[in-house]
Amino acid sequence: MTETRAPRRRYRGPLAVGNMANAVIVIILGIFTLSCVLPILLIYISSFTAESAITRNGFSFFPEEWSLSAYEMLFGQSLRQITTSYANTIALTVLGTVLSLLIFTMYAFAISRKDFKLRQALTFFAYFTMLFNGGMVSSYIVKSNVFGLRNTFWVLLLPEPVRGL
């Protein structure tokens, strides 16, 4: 006597989706990917477009006039400005990180001590300034006008360690 068995179903995990749902997910993620990639692609294409064509027609994925003038200007006369800007950015990042770590480490050590008398006041100060930040613009105006640090490297660096407090 031969027994006929029902075809055995393949086990699909609890998170498995059907083919239709999988297709919908792929379409949604594809649209999301395009919405992230297309603006970047437009910027790159625009960098190779003549300025007059952008002025006449606006930005386009298919420009009517190609040009390398933006890159000639970038690597020509303003290369020194770009290297100076990157040097300032790197220096501000490194110095800001080091100073922030130094100040916050000392601050954290002080408020971690149970026998420190100003512990509650300093903790409240840190908590309150996290809730109600004064903003970067007002801080920049005070540092540049009151302290006379306008157009200097220090006006960008000095507010950095205090911003989190």
Side-chain angles (χ1 to χ4, degrees):
M1 218 169 148
T2 53
E3 255 182 64
T4 58
R5 282 195 224 172
R8 200 165 178 192
R9 294 183 114 191
R10 195 173 113 218
Y11 174 72
R12 296 169 62 113
L15 300 177
V17 294
N19 290 336
M20 186 64 170
N22 197 12
V24 169
I25 291 170
V26 167
I27 290 171
I28 290 172
L29 289 177
I31 291 170
F32 177 74
T33 302
L34 284 176
S35 69
C36 293
V37 171
L38 287 179
I40 296 170
L41 182 63
L42 181 64
I43 290 171
Y44 283 127
I45 291 173
S46 298
S47 72
F48 291 105
T49 306
E51 187 177 357
S52 59
I54 292 175
T55 304
R56 268 192 321 270
N57 305 327
F59 295 99
S60 171
F61 285 105
F62 305 106
E64 65 179 38
E65 188 179 343
W66 295 90
S67 173
L68 292 174
S69 62
Y71 290 99
E72 290 170 358
M73 184 188 73
L74 178 70
F75 294 117
Q77 63 192 24
S78 62
L79 185 61
R80 181 179 171 95
Q81 177 64 39
I82 291 171
T83 55
T84 303
S85 300
Y86 272 115
N88 284 342
T89 300
I90 291 168
L92 283 169
T93 302
V94 170
L95 284 172
T97 302
V98 168
L99 287 174
S100 293
L101 282 173
L102 181 69
I103 289 172
F104 287 137
T105 302
M106 292 188 295
Y107 187 82
F109 176 76
I111 65 172
S112 70
R113 308 295 299 176
K114 300 272 189 211
D115 56 344
F116 184 56
K117 292 179 182 177
L118 297 175
R119 179 176 182 233
Q120 287 183 333
L122 288 176
T123 303
F124 175 76
F125 176 73
Y127 180 68
F128 187 79
T129 54
M130 279 191 274
L131 290 177
F132 304 105
N133 190 357
M136 288 178 51
V137 175
S138 60
S139 173
Y140 174 78
I141 290 171
V142 167
K143 301 296 190 274
S144 64
N145 292 342
V146 175
F147 296 134
L149 297 174
R150 182 182 304 268
N151 293 330
T152 65
F153 180 78
W154 299 105
V155 74
L156 298 174
L157 180 68
L158 291 179
E160 290 296 322
V162 185
R163 190 173 298 148
L165 289 179

